[in-house]
């Protein structure tokens, strides 16, 4: 894979936005994302989606579902519980292995992930588990240069209790990945959907990880959403299935507007593979804080079904009617983050430009992802007939798409506000509209305006939207 090599400054396209603060501030100001429980001072690594953010994230999830379930004859959906039988996580290897190496500063008490300390990014798994590593490398606290403890493995799973009594016997976990809900339902889904291999099961849902060092806004959170698809195949075909999914998953981000130069593949070194993976390739994005994982594609072999079969004594084998063979299917997984994808689309859509000597901020979302598809704006809010026509048009549009009415500023400012939240089309109704029954449609990107019959506004918007969907 040519793109796995480190990027040099010459071929690094740079981020879409110079600083992360620009996105954080826009998100707060315009109602995309807020700190959770803010009036209580917030809670670290949990974020809430505001009126625009929830629309964006829902649109991202819908676009993923369309590509991964609706448009495919070989993939079906599932919505499994967040809490599962605790034994699932023992079998899956998460209780024993789903941990990060933690070191603690004995003066400031801050805790760090060892592999995120300066100079430790490329340590092998064996080195990260070596109790002498801190001493050998002379590592110090990056904040106050205090002494650091030897690394200990910190399990990332959140625990809680099931039922009215808190005792050891009823501890359960909040799932750290949605995938296991798919594996334990493999037989139920295959039998009821009567699917033959190869076929996939897709799921979107919350996952929880008690990350040691969350951060970079919604990039790494403790509560987040995953969009995962598990593709069950004959073992001999897993490698080619992996190659099949890689370009398709990258293309999905491009289809919805991510700049191709800001995407790349990176293959995991053997010593950084997760406990279940035979091979892993990340789709990475050039975030303002560097190239980082956006989605993981994993060849999980028969690790999951094999172990669940062994632990439960329930057969998870597949009988292939064509060859009359019986085998435990191998799994190729595509695992994306709902929040990370929405964050990426938001960052990549951001642009600033100068229009007639003034700065114009635009979120150039693909129309499918834009929170509002259309804004209906009166030129004069004091003219009741204009306002009435605006509301009638908005109500009609809102039967099919997200449409908003706004009259809280002059028209120029209203346009700029809609540009800044990524609304692809604005419709303005003015005094002439009362005479000629026409309205103006303004395009967010070109700022071109066309005058059309009011009755044509909805068909035109719907046609443009269908085109954006591709
Ligand atoms: N089932 C495989 C799995 O969970 P992963 O690479 O650990 O693989 C998959 O996670 C995706 O989930 C990541 O690529 C990322 O998009 C998202 N993700 C993981 N941890 C996250 C976190 N703490 N905050 C936000 N998104 C996260």
């Amino acid at each position: 894979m040519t793109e796995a090599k480190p990027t040099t400054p010459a071929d690094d396209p740079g981020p879409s936005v110079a600083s992360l603060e620009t996105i954080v501030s826009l998100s707060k100001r315009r109602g995309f994302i807020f700190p959770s429980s803010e009036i209580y001072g917030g809670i670290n690594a949990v974020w809430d989606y505001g009126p625009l953010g929830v629309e964006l994230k829902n649109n991202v999830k819908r676009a993923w579902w369309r590509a991964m379930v609706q448009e495919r004859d070989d993939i079906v959906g599932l919505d499994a519980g967040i809490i599962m039988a605790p034994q699932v996580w023992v079998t899956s290897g998460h209780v024993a292995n789903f941990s990060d190496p933690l070191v603690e500063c004995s003066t400031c008490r801050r805790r760090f992930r060892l592999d995120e300390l300066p100079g430790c990014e490329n340590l092998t798994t064996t080195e990260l588990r070596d109790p002498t590593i801190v001493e050998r490398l002379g590592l110090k606290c990056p904040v106050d240069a205090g002494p650091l403890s030897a690394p200990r493995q910190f399990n990332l799973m959140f625990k809680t209790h099931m039922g009215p009594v808190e005792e050891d016997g009823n501890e359960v976990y909040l799932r750290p990945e949605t995938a296991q809900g798919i594996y334990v339902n493999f037989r139920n889904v295959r039998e009821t959907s009567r699917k033959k291999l190869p076929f996939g099961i897709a799921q979107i849902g919350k996952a929880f990880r008690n990350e040691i060092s969350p951060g970079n806004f919604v990039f790494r959170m403790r509560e987040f959403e995953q969009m995962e698809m598990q593709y069950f195949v004959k073992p001999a075909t897993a490698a080619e299935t992996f190659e099949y999914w890689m370009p398709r998953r990258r293309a999905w981000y491009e289809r919805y507007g991510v700049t191709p130069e800001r995407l790349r593949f990176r293959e995991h070194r053997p010593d950084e593979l997760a406990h279940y993976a035979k091979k892993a390739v990340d789709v990475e994005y050039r975030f303002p804080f560097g190239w980082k994982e956006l989605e993981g594609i994993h060849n999980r072999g028969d690790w999951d079904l094999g172990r669940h079969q062994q632990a439960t004594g329930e057969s998870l084998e597949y009988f292939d009617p064509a060859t009359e063979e019986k085998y435990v299917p191998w799994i190729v997984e595509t695992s994306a983050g709902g929040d990370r994808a929405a964050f990426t689309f938001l960052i990549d859509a951001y642009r600033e430009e100068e229009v007639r000597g003034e700065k114009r901020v635009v979120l150039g979302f693909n129309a499918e992802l834009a929170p509002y598809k259309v804004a209906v704006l009166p030129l004069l809010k004091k003219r009741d007939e204009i306002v009435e026509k605006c509301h009638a048009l908005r109500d009609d549009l809102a039967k099919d798409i997200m449409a908003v009415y706004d009259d809280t500023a002059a028209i120029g400012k209203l346009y700029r506000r809609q540009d800044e939240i990524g609304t692809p089309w604005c419709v303005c109704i003015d005094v002439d509209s009362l005479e000629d029954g026409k309205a103006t449609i303004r395009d967010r990107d070109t700022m071109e305006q066309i005058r059309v019959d009011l009755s044509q506004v909805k068909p035109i918007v719907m046609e443009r939207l269908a085109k954006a969907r591709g």
Side-chain angles (χ1 to χ4, degrees):
M1 255 184 338
T2 50
E3 291 159 86
K5 67 181 189 320
T7 311
T8 62
D11 59 14
D12 183 351
S16 140
V17 186
S19 92
L20 179 61
E21 280 63 47
T22 310
I23 293 295
V24 177
S25 141
L26 175 97
S27 296
K28 174 85 197 290
R29 189 161 34 83
R30 302 312 312 269
F32 280 92
I33 301 172
F34 308 126
S36 170
S37 320
E38 195 180 14
I39 59 170
Y40 283 88
I43 177 167
N44 197 7
V46 185
W47 295 88
D48 296 343
Y49 288 77
L52 297 182
V54 67
E55 294 301 333
L56 171 64
K57 193 153 80 139
N58 281 344
N59 292 342
V60 168
K61 290 190 281 184
R62 220 171 279 134
W64 184 88
W65 197 262
R66 185 178 310 116
M68 300 300 282
V69 181
Q70 189 180 323
E71 290 177 356
R72 303 214 40 132
D73 197 30
D74 56 346
I75 302 180
V76 290
L78 179 76
D79 183 10
I82 285 172
I83 296 175
M84 304 178 69
Q87 188 60 31
V88 167
W89 303 107
V90 177
T91 306
S92 70
H94 283 79
V95 168
N97 300 311
F98 196 60
S99 51
D100 280 334
L102 177 147
V103 291
E104 185 172 346
C105 171
S106 61
T107 48
C108 71
R109 315 307 306 178
R110 283 192 177 84
R111 292 167 169 201
F112 304 94
R113 246 175 81 169
L114 177 57
D115 56 331
E116 291 189 344
L117 288 180
C120 297
E121 299 86 355
N122 294 320
L123 293 180
T124 63
T125 312
T126 317
E127 286 170 317
L128 291 170
R129 287 176 180 267
D130 176 359
T132 67
I133 191 81
V134 169
E135 206 180 325
R136 276 202 297 118
L137 299 184
L139 300 173
K140 295 277 179 239
C141 172
V143 176
D144 66 359
L148 292 173
S149 67
R152 71 177 168 89
Q153 291 304 309
F154 176 77
N155 194 291
L156 301 184
M157 283 196 294
F158 278 99
K159 276 187 205 161
T160 186
H161 292 268
M162 190 117 180
V165 185
E166 279 198 19
E167 56 192 13
D168 281 354
N170 62 11
E171 267 183 351
V172 290
Y173 301 97
L174 301 188
R175 67 183 177 196
E177 61 169 13
T178 60
Q180 297 300 326
I182 294 181
Y183 307 143
V184 300
N185 278 294
F186 165 70
R187 204 170 62 188
N188 282 340
V189 173
R190 193 189 61 72
E191 284 175 2
T192 53
S193 61
R194 297 181 304 282
K195 288 286 178 201
K196 291 201 176 79
L197 258 57
F199 84 98
I201 305 176
Q203 174 166 224
I204 298 177
K206 289 266 183 176
F208 302 82
R209 295 182 189 179
N210 198 4
E211 299 280 2
I212 296 169
S213 51
N216 285 327
F217 197 34
V218 292
F219 177 79
R220 194 183 288 148
M221 301 189 279
R222 291 194 169 118
E223 174 181 341
F224 57 97
E225 272 190 282
Q226 289 190 316
M227 309 187 291
E228 297 199 299
M229 191 282 299
Q230 314 296 322
Y231 206 69
F232 300 90
V233 300
K234 188 174 176 175
T237 64
E240 72 193 62
T241 304
F242 195 100
E243 299 300 319
Y244 168 88
W245 278 109
M246 270 178 47
R248 278 165 183 79
R249 288 309 308 147
R250 178 179 174 151
W252 181 78
Y253 294 98
E254 293 177 12
R255 172 177 168 185
Y256 288 100
V258 175
T259 310
E261 294 73 37
R262 292 200 192 98
L263 290 169
R264 73 176 187 187
F265 289 123
R266 187 185 75 82
E267 180 162 1
H268 286 213
R269 300 184 315 264
D271 63 271
E272 65 172 318
L273 286 172
H275 61 273
Y276 50 73
K278 287 191 180 309
K279 176 174 175 170
V281 171
D282 290 343
V283 180
E284 290 192 333
Y285 176 70
R286 178 56 166 95
F287 287 95
F289 37 88
W291 287 98
K292 297 279 176 201
E293 174 183 347
L294 180 53
E295 165 162 354
I297 300 156
H298 309 129
N299 178 347
R300 298 180 70 130
D302 63 355
W303 168 270
D304 301 280
L305 290 189
R307 289 189 47 119
H308 286 307
Q309 173 170 273
Q310 199 180 27
T312 59
E314 297 280 341
S315 171
L316 298 177
E317 283 181 325
Y318 174 74
F319 176 73
D320 191 333
T323 60
E324 304 209 326
E325 288 170 283
K326 226 177 175 192
Y327 51 82
V328 172
W330 278 31
I331 291 163
V332 174
E333 158 183 77
T334 69
S335 177
D339 307 270
R340 223 173 260 187
F343 184 35
T344 300
F345 288 119
L346 179 64
I347 295 174
D348 209 75
Y350 186 94
R351 62 174 197 264
E352 291 175 3
E353 46 192 50
E354 203 179 295
V355 177
R356 288 185 286 280
E358 275 184 30
K359 184 170 100 173
R360 178 172 97 114
V361 172
V362 185
L363 286 180
F365 289 128
N366 175 294
E368 270 292 281
L369 302 187
Y372 298 138
K373 309 304 178 208
V374 58
V376 183
L377 313 169
L379 192 72
L380 291 174
K381 69 172 177 186
K382 289 198 179 113
R383 289 287 297 267
D384 290 345
E385 315 94 287
I386 293 181
V387 172
E388 266 165 37
K389 276 198 184 308
C390 282
H391 282 300
L393 178 62
R394 193 220 74 96
D395 291 351
D396 187 35
L397 287 161
K399 287 180 192 144
D400 295 289
I401 52 177
M402 286 300 294
V404 65
Y405 169 85
D406 191 4
D407 66 6
T408 56
I411 192 71
K413 197 157 184 190
L414 292 179
Y415 282 152
R416 290 288 184 273
R417 274 193 205 155
Q418 295 300 327
D419 292 343
E420 204 188 9
I421 61 172
T423 308
W425 303 290
C426 288
V427 180
C428 179
I429 297 187
D430 54 26
V431 182
D432 290 346
S433 309
L434 302 176
E435 298 297 321
D436 63 9
K438 292 183 187 240
T440 303
I441 304 180
R442 172 190 180 269
D443 183 276
R444 174 196 67 202
D445 297 321
T446 62
M447 292 186 283
E448 268 172 23
Q449 304 192 359
I450 56 166
R451 190 96 182 142
V452 301
D453 276 344
L454 266 166
S455 63
Q456 286 309 300
V457 169
K458 188 168 179 180
I460 290 172
V461 168
M462 298 307 281
E463 193 189 320
R464 289 182 182 184
L465 198 54
K467 223 183 241 171
R469 185 176 289 170

